[in-house]
Amino acid sequence: MSAPAAALDWAQGVWDWAAANWYYPDEPGRGIRPRLIEHIRLSYASIAIGLLLAVPLGLACVRWKPLYPPLLTGVNVLYAVPSIALFFLLLPYTGFSDWTAIVPLAVYTLVILLPNVVDGLHQVPDHVRQAAVAMGFGPLRRLVRVETPVALPVIIAGLRVASVATISMVSVASLVGLGGLGRLILSDGFRRQFDAPIVVGVVLVVLLAFATDALLVLAQRLLTPWARRDRPRTGSVRRRRAAATAAADAPALASTAVAPLGKG
């Protein structure tokens, strides 16, 4: 059998296994679909909790600047602890529940999101804040209506990185009986030395990461419509440059065309 035919036969085998094991109606907890749903639940819960913690902590660090260095050092120290160690440390307190995976993953998400929240709020121009104060905006209204929308692109940029990292790290929780698609990769794949679960698990994790990133990009476009209006279109920029170049070259071309007439 040639190499392309063997690769096609292998891919067909992976597809057949995925189709046969996608879902078992008689056993709701078995199959690929329940693992995918568990992966989404653990990932999105960790990201949401990390964001809910990062926003108020970031606001506090902007308001009280001496708080930021020790707080950032603390979360970085927690980030240095291996995730597997945190999973096993939490097992006596949380058992084999979702919180065993959500708590460490939310802490890791916080490490990425906290600097982005602080940096985003620091990038708000002073004249924007002063204009809001001149219009009679109080601190809370200024924060919600002015500062947060301006800082939103930086915050969402950090959220995109944190989301992709969290979705990939959820698989490690399969070592303590959780982990969603990680069970396919580690339990059904590596331990049984079977390629199909590994390939299906990895592909679904990558697709989930891409889909989440695309949703965040769409959310940013919807929440910051002024960014789209302010960004010039490539075609219009090129047309304006071409028109400016033509206008600059017009006198030289006219003199070139008129010169032969003068000699005659």
Side-chain angles (χ1 to χ4, degrees):
M1 183 181 296
S2 62
L8 183 61
D9 184 68
W10 176 83
Q12 184 64 42
V14 172
W15 177 264
D16 292 340
W17 182 89
N21 294 272
W22 176 253
Y23 183 63
Y24 296 91
D26 297 334
E27 301 179 64
R30 182 185 172 199
I32 299 173
R33 194 178 79 171
R35 301 284 79 79
L36 177 60
I37 294 173
E38 180 186 4
H39 204 104
I40 294 173
R41 184 178 70 247
L42 294 175
S43 301
Y44 285 11
S46 303
I47 295 167
I49 293 175
L51 182 61
L52 291 176
L53 292 174
V55 171
L57 289 176
L59 294 174
C61 291
V62 173
R63 177 64 179 83
W64 298 288
K65 294 182 180 181
L67 179 64
Y68 183 49
L71 185 60
L72 184 61
T73 302
V75 294
N76 283 330
V77 168
L78 290 176
Y79 190 78
V81 179
S83 57
I84 299 176
L86 284 180
F87 293 150
F88 282 102
L89 286 174
L90 287 173
L91 273 178
Y93 306 99
T94 57
F96 292 96
S97 65
D98 289 353
W99 291 106
T100 304
I102 290 174
V103 172
L105 293 174
V107 171
Y108 295 149
T109 303
L110 178 63
V111 176
I112 301 174
L113 289 177
L114 179 60
N116 281 76
V117 173
V118 175
D119 292 342
L121 292 173
H122 279 158
Q123 290 183 11
V124 179
D126 289 335
H127 68 270
V128 174
R129 290 192 177 94
Q130 294 171 4
V133 173
M135 293 174 64
F137 282 31
L140 181 59
R141 188 182 177 191
R142 185 176 70 246
L143 173 66
V144 175
R145 299 287 300 276
V146 178
E147 296 178 358
T148 301
V150 174
L152 198 59
V154 179
I155 297 174
I156 292 183
L159 187 60
R160 292 172 61 187
V161 176
S163 300
V164 174
T166 301
I167 289 171
S168 64
M169 290 175 61
V170 167
S171 302
V172 183
S174 61
L175 295 175
V176 292
L178 300 169
L181 295 170
R183 297 193 192 186
L184 296 179
I185 299 172
L186 296 178
S187 300
D188 298 339
F190 283 110
R191 291 179 183 176
R192 295 169 53 191
Q193 296 184 352
F194 187 27
D195 291 344
I198 299 174
V199 174
V200 172
V202 170
V203 169
L204 288 178
V205 169
V206 173
L207 291 177
L208 179 59
F210 273 111
T212 304
D213 187 72
L215 289 175
L216 290 173
V217 172
L218 179 61
Q220 179 178 345
R221 290 176 62 86
L222 294 176
L223 294 173
T224 58
W226 60 87
R228 299 197 306 272
R229 291 195 296 265
D230 294 341
R231 187 184 300 116
R233 296 182 179 178
T234 304
S236 61
V237 171
R238 289 178 179 174
R239 286 193 295 270
R240 287 197 295 269
R241 289 178 179 175
T245 303
D249 293 342
L253 293 174
S255 62
T256 303
V258 171
L261 296 178
K263 290 181 180 179

